[in-house]
Amino acid sequence: MTPNRTSDDQHPSGAAGGNQRRAALRDPIARYGRMLEIRAVEEEVFRLFATGDIHGSTHLAEGQEALAVGLASVIRPDDVVCATYRGHAVALALGMTPLSVISEILGRADGPVGGVGGSMHMSDMEVGLLPTFAIVGAGLPVATGAAYAFQVRAEDRIAVSISGDGSTNIGAFHESLNLAAIWKLPVLFVIDHNMYGEYSRWNVTTPLEDLYHRADSYGIRSMMLDGMDIDAVRRGLGEAVDYVRSNNGPMLIEAKTYRFSGHSRADTGPYRPEGELEHWRERDPVTVTRRLLLSQGLATPTALDQLEEQIRGEVADAVSEAQRMQPAGPAAMFAHVWAEPLYSADGGR
Amino acid sequence: MTPNRTSDDQHPSGAAGGNQRRAALRDPIARYGRMLEIRAVEEEVFRLFATGDIHGSTHLAEGQEALAVGLASVIRPDDVVCATYRGHAVALALGMTPLSVISEILGRADGPVGGVGGSMHMSDMEVGLLPTFAIVGAGLPVATGAAYAFQVRAEDRIAVSISGDGSTNIGAFHESLNLAAIWKLPVLFVIDHNMYGEYSRWNVTTPLEDLYHRADSYGIRSMMLDGMDIDAVRRGLGEAVDYVRSNNGPMLIEAKTYRFSGHSRADTGPYRPEGELEHWRERDPVTVTRRLLLSQGLATPTALDQLEEQIRGEVADAVSEAQRMQPAGPAAMFAHVWAEPLYSADGGR
Amino acid sequence: MTRMRMNQAIVAAIADEMRTDPTVVMFGEDVAAAGGPFKTSVGLLEEFGPMRVRDTPISEMAFTGAGVGSAAMGLRPIVEIMFMEFLGVALDQLVTQAAKLHYLSRGALSVPLTVRASVGPGTGFACQHSQTLENWVTSTPGLVVVSPSGPQTAYGLLRSAIQHQDPVIVLEPRAYYGVRGEVHTGPDAMIPLGRAQIARPGTAATVVCLGRTTAVALQAADRLAEIGYDIEIIDLLTLVPWDVAAVAQSVRRTGRLVVVEDAPLTGGWGGDIVSRIVTEEFGALVAAPFRICTPDVPVPYGKDLEKRFAPQPDEVGRQIRSYLETGEVPAHWWTREGGMTA
Amino acid sequence: MTRMRMNQAIVAAIADEMRTDPTVVMFGEDVAAAGGPFKTSVGLLEEFGPMRVRDTPISEMAFTGAGVGSAAMGLRPIVEIMFMEFLGVALDQLVTQAAKLHYLSRGALSVPLTVRASVGPGTGFACQHSQTLENWVTSTPGLVVVSPSGPQTAYGLLRSAIQHQDPVIVLEPRAYYGVRGEVHTGPDAMIPLGRAQIARPGTAATVVCLGRTTAVALQAADRLAEIGYDIEIIDLLTLVPWDVAAVAQSVRRTGRLVVVEDAPLTGGWGGDIVSRIVTEEFGALVAAPFRICTPDVPVPYGKDLEKRFAPQPDEVGRQIRSYLETGEVPAHWWTREGGMTA
Ligand SMILES: Cc1ncc(C[n+]2csc(CCOP(=O)(O)OP(=O)(O)O)c2C)c(N)n1
Ligand SMILES: Cc1ncc(C[n+]2csc(CCOP(=O)(O)OP(=O)(O)O)c2C)c(N)n1
Ligand SMILES: [Mg+2]
Ligand SMILES: [Mg+2]
């Protein structure tokens, strides 16, 4: 038997116990807290980018927290997830710590990818997150393949692919859904319809608004849900996860969300129709959830304020700690190129 | 302005006037004759393959003649067609002569592609046939692009892509339909559903039987028709061509046909369900059309017998003539690599 | 002459071609309304309208293919592939279709398509957005491959590419989009395809560069000149078909050949240069030719790592100096610094 | 030892691996029920069942990616790409995903995926089904590239590829699927990746071959031996990372290097061999190294054309003889025969 993990090299920044962090999501307050945490991390990342501490690019998911946390709360620790370059939210939701995420974005030697991955390549197999995919659509075939492995071994696991509305226009989407359907694989395709692909509103690139209809081309069951409402997400995804896990074949879920952030870096979103952002901000999953927790009597305003303060403090501490960590040195780029190096891979003179 | 034809080098084997051959298809007897001709050519090609005169592979379209001829009869001479490696039928239908098709398959210097293309790469821009595509799905984006050129220049032309049922599972299909829809391009996608992709029956690879439903994912109008019935083909494709030419955007037509031949070469089709071939042979477009012409009083049995004899004679003559033609010599491989050779393309020592 | 960034020079080249030839069109992801992710099409939609400048869905296969089809029908499309890696989902249309349509139509069709793709390291985009990947397109008869080294060559090569009758892929070093330089525009500024330029004349060694590495080698040359080594730098500009004659001529004068490239040790384009020159000019070489390239590892993310990964002026200077002083091929930095092979 | 065709040796290798390791699975177009378009999986469905041997839709991106995902989850998938060209619609999954997952997971995942693709000319399939295209995959750190030269090496390399922990692409010369040879099977017959083999020892020149060209050069060598020229033939077997030490050692003995390849003059893999060896063994070379390759044209269809296009024993013999007699690099046939450049 092949081990699917060959690591000898543990990254300390992930040590805080991803699975405990995942298990915590059973509690609605913890779910709210995780959304707050994601928001706080994204804000810090945005700031670090502005100050020049972050190199390259970074794609934030502000506004999309309910979907990430909802998803993480309904799958099992041994399920696996293929997500995208817009991956910090999913990573944190699944259980990676703020320190882990931030240290990788800062290119630290002890980051979860050793500083060679960065913002677009979050990964931690301890929480089931494959290295996030920076090529649009590339995660769908891989999730399909992961599901095939579970099917072959008759394991009770599912694979989840989560990708954007824009990814439904690429060939890999079509081919993966078809293959998953004909092989009846335990894979759940989640489409995070945040209304934009880069600077293009969905209608510039896509002739239909409700993307879940595309599942019909493959005889795949599908559903649309409100991605701003964590309870709706949990209900919808929960059902879908059960369906997929019960060997009914794949399913596709479209979640309507909204990307509060620009596409990347300093994009301020000049292309948004007037009032659209404001309209969606009213449905901000963080504030909506807070209101709900209060109205359901599950928490007091003071408790939630304290929680927020605590989380912001933890995230700020994580940033400071990550900044104190060593940047990856040149040797890092030579690590893990090969799992089984051949003698002829000699590097030259 | 850029000329879209840069040829200096006319192939004599195409000289017989492709456009007259196309125009002839206004007449139902000529359409029947063309189907007979295609059948006769495919039989000769099969024979030449068996005797070792043909090198490589060849993909016949016996059973699919009505679709090819019906299509050719409803489009205009300046429309363009992107077809596949299974392209002899479409080539002949559009107006290429038996001599032209056979000489290329035999690798003759004066073949329409100079003997460097062969069976999978029929081409004659005189009749609007782009070099046929040997990569599944590759013709769809190209047809989409051709249609874009017509749109930009406000020309009254359309582009047609014709490809197999199997091609609807490849990414290029999905992307092309989406792009054509969002750009509202004058392109007609024809799916020749001959029930097989290589040795796989459609149901092994595709979770739904009626492929025209896939157009719904792009908001594209679509229709299914009986590809064994040339009149149904002409009616359906005729409407579709009008729709597309009238700037309504793309359309997709699924034609149900059946591949009497094996996939290629010596494939005898051991994978066919029992009785399937026989069932479809009863709907052979050649015999069905003959019956119809007779029952409609458009021809007498003797006249049609004579026609068949004449065509078989012509095709046999074309084979003899092609066999007498010079095989392409080594210099042929260096022709037309570059339209505008650079001095640095020097070929080396 | 105007001072502009490389991305502005690209806009200028496209605009100048669109003004003179109504068949020139452009499309790609976010090239129209947003002016391009790298701002290489700012203002084109406004000037030329949505019929000629279009945003596409995330469908590289379809829109690259649309470039092929529209070029075959007489347009001169410019297709933007934001990052070279994205050709990994569309290579078929360029290599197996575009480059073969002229051949397979016996010359009846030609494909005057220009594909522009950003390439290379230096911007912190990590290993799926930082490769150079020239090798995906170099052994494709029928396809021209060029790569500019800065604003002026970006302008001149792109205009020539657009006017060229065969498909051309332009590999733009993305680290330089923001780099400024004096740019001479107009038809006289066109750079003929297939011709290398001597970016700096010299006698001590022939140093062949492409794209990002030309400026790197030029900086190294200045420092080498201070200590008396006068190297000749050839900016290849066209990678396929490359200017063998120009490099051979230089090597016959200098007797020494060095290639500086962003591609990896194994399979990088420099192998083609060294191999061909050594075959044709063996007698002229007075020392072993060698490549200054990147190690056989995926492009790393961290800022210092990425900088170390790709040739920089210091390292290029050090290598060439050592070579000229000793006559021996110097060790790669990763060997010299010890035990770093993957 | 059993006499078998190369496609039978491939079946045997897969079957032997499937028997010993339940995680080995195989999929591709028509590989299951039909036993493979090239009959490289005959009987596998019957023996191992539909869970492990599957037909796929015509969806190279999805099923290559399914290979990546299932490998990452601990299977050892074998993916068949019927013709190398089809990777043009799926290259992303191999180069940009499979080869990077180990790196990007800090070693937590590995991708023991084997992709098999048929390559090269010789079967009359014309220019979209006859390319070798090694260069699509050669500059990809993290991806092993191998190519068998006949039944025995097909068996031995494939077993090693399947057992290897990193992704491996096996480039199978399709002209040889039907070629017969004695094949020793079993674990002892495994051929280590990364090691070249001396297919024929000799002293006059080192001739490096890969895939289809090894047998071509061996035939040429027999005729050369008759006239007193005793050449050494190295069958590279692994193209990435290739066995520099073996070639260098041979060149140190012979002083001469020739590469015989099915790839084109521009960008073919031979450039990497010549370049690296000339850099490392300049002093050992007594004459210019050179490549016997294909011209820079799309692979032509016609029988005689296709034969002329690719190196044949006669031509290889003629080139090497002239080289050994004169010490000069001989002209390519298309130059010698005059005026045939594209
Ligand atoms: C194949 C490919 N094409 C283009 C890109 C560039 N790109 C990165 S993100 C993006 C937009 C994706 O939109 P969507 O799928 O909606 O996801 P979102 O960014 O909104 O989460 C594009 C075009 C890419 N990474 N890969
Ligand atoms: C991308 C790609 N994958 C696989 C093939 C091999 N192949 C050639 S024809 C064929 C079957 C195509 O079936 P379909 O689209 O139904 O067309 P038909 O042959 O029935 O006309 C396949 C798989 C190919 N040419 N291109
Ligand atoms: Mg989006
Ligand atoms: Mg079919």
Side-chain angles (χ1 to χ4, degrees):
Chain A
M1 287 291 295
T2 311
N4 62 11
R5 293 185 186 154
T6 58
S7 185
D8 42 347
D9 163 16
Q10 287 295 323
H11 56 94
S13 61
N19 280 322
Q20 274 149 267
R21 278 172 53 79
R22 177 87 71 87
L25 299 181
R26 279 190 288 257
D27 172 51
I29 311 280
R31 293 195 289 270
Y32 171 66
R34 191 64 53 82
M35 290 199 280
L36 282 174
E37 179 184 281
I38 293 170
R39 184 68 57 93
V41 169
E42 295 290 53
E43 286 172 8
E44 287 291 344
V45 170
F46 185 80
R47 194 182 56 75
L48 289 166
F49 196 91
T51 57
D53 287 72
I54 295 178
H55 166 62
S57 192
T58 176
H59 306 77
L60 310 183
E62 288 175 296
Q64 301 165 240
E65 296 88 349
L67 180 60
V69 176
L71 171 64
S73 74
V74 299
I75 60 175
R76 295 190 190 155
D78 62 347
D79 294 334
V80 296
V81 178
C82 295
T84 74
Y85 49 86
R86 194 177 306 286
H88 313 159
V90 171
L92 291 161
L94 288 175
M96 285 177 72
T97 62
L99 177 60
S100 180
V101 167
I102 294 166
S103 63
E104 185 57 38
I105 297 175
L106 288 174
R108 296 314 193 222
D110 281 334
V113 188
V116 303
S119 165
M120 294 210 278
H121 300 295
M122 291 292 134
S123 177
D124 188 347
M125 285 310 295
E126 294 300 321
V127 299
L129 182 65
L130 273 84
T132 56
F133 294 83
I135 304 295
V136 168
L140 284 85
V142 175
T144 301
Y148 169 65
F150 303 154
Q151 185 187 61
V152 167
R153 291 192 299 245
E155 288 174 347
D156 200 22
R157 300 161 73 185
I158 72 166
V160 178
S161 161
I162 175 166
S163 62
D165 43 293
S167 76
T168 71
N169 290 333
I170 204 152
F173 167 86
H174 176 72
E175 295 188 7
S176 301
L177 265 72
N178 190 69
L179 185 66
I182 199 90
W183 284 8
K184 242 186 147 195
L185 297 175
V187 53
L188 173 63
F189 298 102
V190 179
I191 300 302
D192 183 349
H193 194 332
N194 65 5
M195 306 288 151
Y196 288 87
E198 286 191 358
Y199 321 121
S200 289
R201 204 162 175 279
W202 66 268
N203 54 296
V204 175
T205 57
T206 314
L208 84 175
E209 177 160 13
D210 294 337
L211 300 169
Y212 72 102
H213 291 307
R214 289 192 160 172
D216 298 348
S217 278
Y218 321 98
I220 289 181
R221 185 157 156 177
S222 67
M223 206 172 77
M224 186 167 72
L225 54 77
D226 177 359
M228 305 302 268
D229 173 348
I230 190 166
D231 294 323
V233 168
R234 280 169 47 80
R235 254 192 326 272
L237 285 182
E239 269 175 44
V241 164
D242 286 348
Y243 175 89
V244 171
R245 203 185 301 282
S246 311
N247 296 317
N248 292 304
M251 197 167 157
L252 180 142
I253 299 286
E254 174 185 5
K256 297 279 208 240
T257 66
Y258 193 81
R259 195 192 72 201
F260 294 169
S261 349
H263 166 64
S264 64
R265 302 185 283 179
D267 169 28
T268 55
Y271 43 76
R272 298 188 206 265
E274 208 181 298
E276 190 184 70
L277 177 60
E278 295 65 31
H279 167 77
W280 282 90
R281 281 236 188 253
E282 284 167 26
R283 312 205 37 235
D284 183 333
V286 176
T287 51
V288 166
T289 306
R290 179 184 165 104
R291 222 177 299 135
L292 207 74
L293 289 175
L294 296 176
S295 76
Q296 292 173 333
L298 290 172
T300 61
T302 333
L304 295 187
D305 288 345
Q306 279 172 355
L307 179 64
E308 180 160 353
E309 201 173 321
Q310 176 204 327
I311 286 169
R312 291 198 171 272
E314 286 166 7
V315 169
D317 289 349
V319 171
S320 314
E321 190 175 341
Q323 281 176 318
R324 285 191 305 269
M325 289 164 69
Q326 281 300 315
M333 76 179 84
F334 297 91
H336 308 299
V337 176
W338 305 102
E340 193 179 346
L342 295 171
Y343 101 107
S344 52
D346 68 344
R349 61 188 198 258
Chain B
M1 287 290 295
T2 312
N4 64 9
R5 291 183 189 158
T6 57
S7 185
D8 42 348
D9 162 14
Q10 287 295 323
H11 56 94
S13 62
N19 280 322
Q20 274 149 266
R21 280 172 52 81
R22 177 87 71 87
L25 298 181
R26 278 190 289 257
D27 172 51
I29 312 282
R31 293 196 289 270
Y32 172 66
R34 190 64 53 82
M35 291 199 280
L36 282 173
E37 180 186 280
I38 293 170
R39 184 68 58 92
V41 168
E42 295 290 53
E43 286 172 10
E44 287 291 345
V45 170
F46 185 81
R47 195 181 56 74
L48 289 166
F49 197 90
T51 57
D53 288 72
I54 296 178
H55 165 64
S57 192
T58 175
H59 306 78
L60 311 182
E62 289 176 295
Q64 301 165 240
E65 296 88 348
L67 180 60
V69 176
L71 171 63
S73 74
V74 299
I75 60 175
R76 295 189 189 157
D78 61 347
D79 295 334
V80 296
V81 177
C82 295
T84 75
Y85 49 88
R86 196 179 303 287
H88 313 158
V90 172
L92 292 162
L94 288 174
M96 284 177 74
T97 62
L99 177 61
S100 179
V101 167
I102 295 166
S103 62
E104 185 57 37
I105 298 175
L106 287 174
R108 297 311 192 224
D110 281 335
V113 188
V116 303
S119 166
M120 294 208 280
H121 301 295
M122 291 293 132
S123 177
D124 188 348
M125 286 308 295
E126 294 300 319
V127 300
L129 182 64
L130 273 85
T132 56
F133 294 83
I135 304 296
V136 168
L140 284 84
V142 176
T144 301
Y148 169 64
F150 303 154
Q151 185 187 60
V152 167
R153 291 192 299 245
E155 288 174 345
D156 199 23
R157 301 162 73 186
I158 72 165
V160 178
S161 160
I162 175 165
S163 62
D165 43 293
S167 76
T168 71
N169 290 333
I170 204 151
F173 168 87
H174 175 72
E175 295 188 7
S176 301
L177 266 72
N178 191 70
L179 185 64
I182 199 91
W183 285 7
K184 241 187 148 199
L185 297 175
V187 53
L188 174 63
F189 299 103
V190 180
I191 301 301
D192 182 348
H193 193 333
N194 64 5
M195 306 289 149
Y196 287 88
E198 285 192 0
Y199 321 121
S200 290
R201 205 162 175 278
W202 67 267
N203 54 296
V204 175
T205 57
T206 314
L208 83 175
E209 178 161 12
D210 295 335
L211 300 170
Y212 72 101
H213 291 307
R214 288 192 161 172
D216 298 348
S217 279
Y218 320 98
I220 289 182
R221 187 156 154 178
S222 67
M223 205 171 77
M224 185 166 73
L225 54 77
D226 177 359
M228 305 302 268
D229 174 345
I230 189 166
D231 293 324
V233 168
R234 280 168 48 78
R235 254 192 326 273
L237 285 183
E239 268 175 44
V241 164
D242 286 348
Y243 174 88
V244 171
R245 203 185 301 282
S246 310
N247 296 318
N248 291 305
M251 195 166 158
L252 181 141
I253 298 287
E254 174 185 5
K256 295 280 209 247
T257 66
Y258 192 79
R259 194 191 72 200
F260 293 169
S261 350
H263 166 65
S264 65
R265 301 187 284 179
D267 169 28
T268 56
Y271 42 77
R272 299 188 205 265
E274 210 180 298
E276 190 184 68
L277 178 59
E278 295 66 30
H279 166 78
W280 281 91
R281 281 237 188 250
E282 285 168 24
R283 312 205 38 234
D284 184 332
V286 177
T287 52
V288 166
T289 307
R290 180 185 164 104
R291 224 179 294 134
L292 207 73
L293 290 176
L294 296 177
S295 76
Q296 292 173 331
L298 290 172
T300 63
T302 334
L304 295 187
D305 289 346
Q306 278 173 354
L307 179 65
E308 179 160 356
E309 201 174 320
Q310 179 205 327
I311 286 169
R312 290 199 172 271
E314 285 166 8
V315 169
D317 289 350
V319 170
S320 312
E321 190 175 338
Q323 281 176 318
R324 284 191 306 270
M325 288 164 70
Q326 283 299 315
M333 76 179 84
F334 296 92
H336 309 299
V337 175
W338 305 102
E340 192 178 347
L342 295 170
Y343 102 106
S344 52
D346 68 344
R349 60 186 199 262
Chain C
M1 296 274 269
T2 327
R3 201 165 168 76
M4 46 176 105
R5 295 181 191 271
M6 190 173 85
N7 52 10
Q8 294 169 321
I10 291 167
V11 175
I14 300 172
D16 285 347
E17 285 300 316
M18 291 188 101
R19 281 178 204 127
T20 42
D21 183 347
T23 67
V24 177
V25 298
M26 167 161 197
F27 43 90
E29 286 152 5
D30 289 308
V31 302
F38 294 113
K39 302 206 182 305
T40 50
S41 50
V42 173
L44 298 179
L45 173 66
E46 292 71 14
E47 181 171 353
F48 303 103
M51 191 54 81
R52 294 176 66 192
V53 182
R54 285 201 187 172
D55 286 323
T56 63
I58 309 175
S59 308
E60 277 80 1
M61 187 69 87
F63 71 75
T64 304
V68 180
S70 57
M73 290 299 109
L75 296 187
R76 293 189 173 273
I78 303 163
V79 168
E80 176 166 306
I81 298 287
M82 199 185 310
F83 287 78
M84 181 67 180
E85 276 85 354
F86 306 166
L87 266 190
V89 306
L91 197 59
D92 180 66
Q93 283 295 332
L94 190 61
V95 169
T96 312
Q97 312 307 332
K100 275 130 184 117
L101 273 190
H102 185 66
Y103 197 65
L104 289 179
S105 64
R106 198 176 182 158
L109 294 172
S110 59
V111 183
L113 162 70
T114 301
V115 172
R116 298 174 37 246
S118 80
V119 301
T123 47
F125 290 147
C127 72
Q128 295 186 339
H129 283 69
S130 298
Q131 301 170 83
T132 54
L133 299 172
E134 302 89 355
N135 60 315
W136 282 4
V137 290
T138 44
S139 69
T140 312
L143 177 66
V144 176
V145 183
V146 305
S147 185
S149 51
Q152 182 68 68
T153 53
Y155 179 86
L157 283 175
L158 184 51
R159 288 203 66 175
S160 296
I162 297 168
Q163 290 187 24
H164 195 67
Q165 204 56 29
D166 292 304
V168 181
I169 178 163
V170 184
L171 307 176
E172 297 170 353
R174 67 175 73 86
Y176 286 177
Y177 280 127
V179 164
R180 281 207 184 76
E182 294 296 324
V183 179
H184 175 69
T185 59
D188 297 350
M190 281 178 54
I191 296 173
L193 305 184
R195 301 263 175 196
Q197 284 181 358
I198 296 184
R200 181 189 193 285
T203 52
T206 300
V207 179
V208 175
C209 300
L210 183 81
R212 196 192 65 88
T213 64
T214 300
V216 170
L218 281 169
Q219 280 187 53
D222 289 343
R223 294 185 223 163
L224 286 167
E226 289 166 18
I227 53 168
Y229 294 117
D230 187 24
I231 61 173
E232 174 146 312
I233 295 181
I234 297 189
D235 185 355
L236 212 50
L237 297 173
T238 296
L239 183 56
V240 180
W242 60 281
D243 193 343
V244 181
V247 178
Q249 216 164 57
S250 172
V251 168
R252 284 197 294 272
R253 279 190 284 104
T254 66
R256 289 179 179 82
L257 173 66
V258 182
V259 178
V260 186
E261 60 185 306
D262 273 344
L265 173 63
T266 301
W269 59 267
D272 215 39
I273 312 300
V274 171
S275 169
R276 180 89 185 256
I277 292 298
V278 83
T279 293
E280 303 197 358
E281 304 296 339
F282 189 67
L285 288 165
V286 300
F290 72 103
R291 297 165 53 214
I292 301 173
C293 54
T294 65
D296 281 338
V297 306
V299 187
Y301 164 74
K303 208 178 217 160
D304 300 341
L305 273 73
E306 193 186 12
K307 195 149 186 210
R308 200 77 190 85
F309 169 82
Q312 306 297 343
D314 273 3
E315 179 62 24
V316 171
R318 188 180 304 126
Q319 295 254 336
I320 294 177
R321 179 180 179 166
S322 153
Y323 175 61
L324 293 175
E325 279 174 355
T326 66
E328 298 290 319
V329 173
H332 293 295
W333 67 262
W334 55 90
T335 309
R336 194 180 63 232
E337 294 177 13
M340 279 204 233
T341 54
Chain D
M1 297 272 269
T2 326
R3 200 164 169 77
M4 47 176 104
R5 296 182 191 270
M6 190 173 87
N7 51 11
Q8 294 169 322
I10 290 167
V11 175
I14 299 172
D16 285 348
E17 284 301 315
M18 291 188 101
R19 282 179 203 125
T20 42
D21 183 346
T23 67
V24 177
V25 297
M26 166 161 196
F27 41 92
E29 287 152 3
D30 290 307
V31 302
F38 294 112
K39 302 207 181 306
T40 50
S41 50
V42 173
L44 298 178
L45 172 66
E46 293 70 15
E47 181 171 353
F48 302 104
M51 192 55 82
R52 293 176 66 193
V53 182
R54 286 201 187 172
D55 287 322
T56 63
I58 309 174
S59 309
E60 277 81 1
M61 187 69 87
F63 71 76
T64 304
V68 180
S70 58
M73 290 299 108
L75 296 187
R76 293 188 174 273
I78 304 162
V79 168
E80 176 167 306
I81 298 287
M82 200 186 309
F83 287 79
M84 180 68 179
E85 277 85 354
F86 306 165
L87 267 189
V89 306
L91 197 61
D92 179 67
Q93 283 294 332
L94 190 61
V95 168
T96 312
Q97 313 307 330
K100 275 130 183 117
L101 273 189
H102 185 65
Y103 196 66
L104 289 179
S105 64
R106 197 174 183 159
L109 294 173
S110 58
V111 183
L113 163 70
T114 301
V115 173
R116 299 175 36 247
S118 80
V119 300
T123 47
F125 291 148
C127 72
Q128 295 187 339
H129 283 69
S130 298
Q131 301 169 84
T132 53
L133 297 172
E134 301 88 355
N135 61 314
W136 282 4
V137 290
T138 44
S139 67
T140 311
L143 177 66
V144 176
V145 183
V146 306
S147 186
S149 51
Q152 183 67 69
T153 52
Y155 179 87
L157 282 175
L158 184 51
R159 288 203 66 174
S160 296
I162 297 167
Q163 290 187 25
H164 195 67
Q165 203 57 27
D166 292 303
V168 181
I169 179 164
V170 184
L171 307 176
E172 298 170 353
R174 67 175 74 86
Y176 286 176
Y177 281 127
V179 163
R180 281 206 184 79
E182 293 297 324
V183 178
H184 176 68
T185 60
D188 297 349
M190 282 179 52
I191 296 174
L193 305 185
R195 301 264 175 195
Q197 284 181 357
I198 296 184
R200 181 190 192 286
T203 52
T206 300
V207 179
V208 175
C209 301
L210 183 81
R212 197 192 64 87
T213 66
T214 300
V216 170
L218 282 169
Q219 280 187 54
D222 287 345
R223 294 183 223 165
L224 286 167
E226 289 166 19
I227 53 168
Y229 293 118
D230 188 25
I231 61 173
E232 175 145 311
I233 295 180
I234 297 190
D235 185 355
L236 212 51
L237 297 172
T238 296
L239 182 57
V240 179
W242 61 280
D243 193 343
V244 181
V247 178
Q249 217 165 56
S250 173
V251 168
R252 284 198 293 271
R253 280 189 284 105
T254 66
R256 290 179 178 82
L257 172 66
V258 182
V259 179
V260 186
E261 60 185 307
D262 273 345
L265 172 63
T266 301
W269 59 266
D272 215 40
I273 312 299
V274 171
S275 168
R276 180 92 185 256
I277 292 297
V278 84
T279 293
E280 302 197 358
E281 303 297 337
F282 189 68
L285 288 165
V286 300
F290 72 103
R291 297 165 54 213
I292 301 173
C293 55
T294 66
D296 282 338
V297 306
V299 187
Y301 164 74
K303 208 178 218 161
D304 301 342
L305 272 73
E306 192 186 13
K307 196 151 185 208
R308 199 78 190 85
F309 169 82
Q312 305 297 341
D314 273 4
E315 179 63 23
V316 171
R318 187 181 303 126
Q319 295 253 336
I320 294 178
R321 179 180 178 167
S322 153
Y323 175 61
L324 293 176
E325 279 174 355
T326 66
E328 298 290 320
V329 173
H332 292 295
W333 66 263
W334 55 91
T335 310
R336 194 179 65 231
E337 294 178 12
M340 280 203 235
T341 53

